[in-house]
Amino acid sequence: MTDLFTASSFRVEQPRRGPFARTRYKILTEDGTLLAQAAEPQEGNRLEHLKKVFPGKSELDARVVDVTDPDGEPLLVIAKRAGRMLTTLHDADGETLGTVNTERIARRYLLRDPGGTKVGEIAGDVARRNFTVTDTSGTAVAHVRKKFAGIATHLLTTADKYTVEIDDPVPEPLRTFAVLTAIVMDMTLHESKDLT
């Protein structure tokens, strides 16, 4: 699909933005090469996205980001429901790849395939900065760490940086979950700083 899904380590960065700017992420190699990007759809498309993913819900209840390759070709859609603690991953055609369901708020998340079968978990530490992705046997397959950029940056901006390390081989769909854990956890836990 893209180098994003074959890389064993990379960075996810959320650039600083103004209070009314769209949510955006860059997915980069360790040396800074862009692998993919993720962003909320333009305002005109945003409502259409939300209606397709969450019929009957307002945009205040949900957040959607499109993941594209460096040339803008669609790869995935990450759709989060704020009130239900549910995030759904879709392919570029809108087919569901799986869900991230909160089991213990901010600490444990169940990863399920489209049929609802558990494929793994994400466990977070108390500070909500370090996350471990495990398979169904409890073996760690990936580690995600949120870097601390200083108290002012943490409190006053939405700029966040993560490192992701994947212990290969990791089968699908668990590998896709592992790759996107930083964005899903940021949207779920850290976007409350967002002023929009």
Side-chain angles (χ1 to χ4, degrees), residues 8-194:
S8 59
S9 65
F10 51 92
R11 302 183 334 236
V12 176
E13 297 181 357
Q14 183 180 36
R16 292 177 193 243
R17 66 180 201 270
F20 300 105
R22 297 181 304 147
T23 298
R24 294 180 359 170
Y25 300 91
K26 292 181 180 179
I27 303 169
L28 309 155
T29 63
E30 291 298 324
D31 67 3
T33 302
L34 183 66
L35 295 173
Q37 47 204 349
E40 284 183 296
Q42 296 289 344
E43 286 303 316
N45 297 330
R46 186 176 183 190
L47 188 56
E48 291 175 27
H49 255 35
L50 291 168
K51 285 180 180 176
K52 181 169 52 171
V53 176
F54 302 123
K57 295 293 180 186
S58 76
E59 63 182 334
L60 297 175
D61 294 332
R63 178 160 296 192
V64 174
V65 295
D66 294 322
V67 181
T68 63
D69 72 11
D71 298 321
E73 290 298 315
L75 299 174
L76 299 162
V77 176
I78 304 170
K80 181 190 75 80
R81 291 191 202 199
R84 298 210 171 107
M85 301 303 284
L86 172 69
T87 301
T88 307
L89 305 181
H90 302 270
D91 67 16
D93 296 323
E95 293 295 318
T96 300
L97 298 174
T99 60
V100 180
N101 304 89
T102 301
E103 184 164 271
R104 293 188 199 134
I105 295 184
R107 297 294 304 280
R108 187 169 174 224
Y109 304 85
L110 301 182
L111 308 176
R112 300 186 186 278
D113 69 13
T117 302
K118 181 180 167 184
V119 297
E121 294 183 10
I122 300 170
D125 64 1
V126 174
R128 303 182 311 174
R129 300 174 55 77
N130 297 296
F131 304 93
T132 302
V133 181
T134 58
D135 62 18
T136 54
S137 67
T139 303
V141 299
H143 299 279
V144 177
R145 291 173 182 83
K146 183 176 186 280
K147 295 181 178 182
F148 185 66
I151 195 73
T153 299
H154 177 72
L155 292 176
L156 302 174
T157 75
T158 56
D160 292 313
K161 295 182 179 184
Y162 296 82
T163 58
V164 179
E165 295 174 4
I166 298 176
D167 303 325
D168 283 317
V170 181
E172 288 294 349
L174 187 56
R175 183 174 184 78
T176 297
F177 281 115
V179 166
L180 299 176
T181 292
I183 295 173
V184 172
M185 292 296 97
D186 192 75
M187 290 172 65
T188 301
L189 300 173
H190 300 290
E191 282 293 280
S192 60
K193 296 184 293 182
D194 194 359

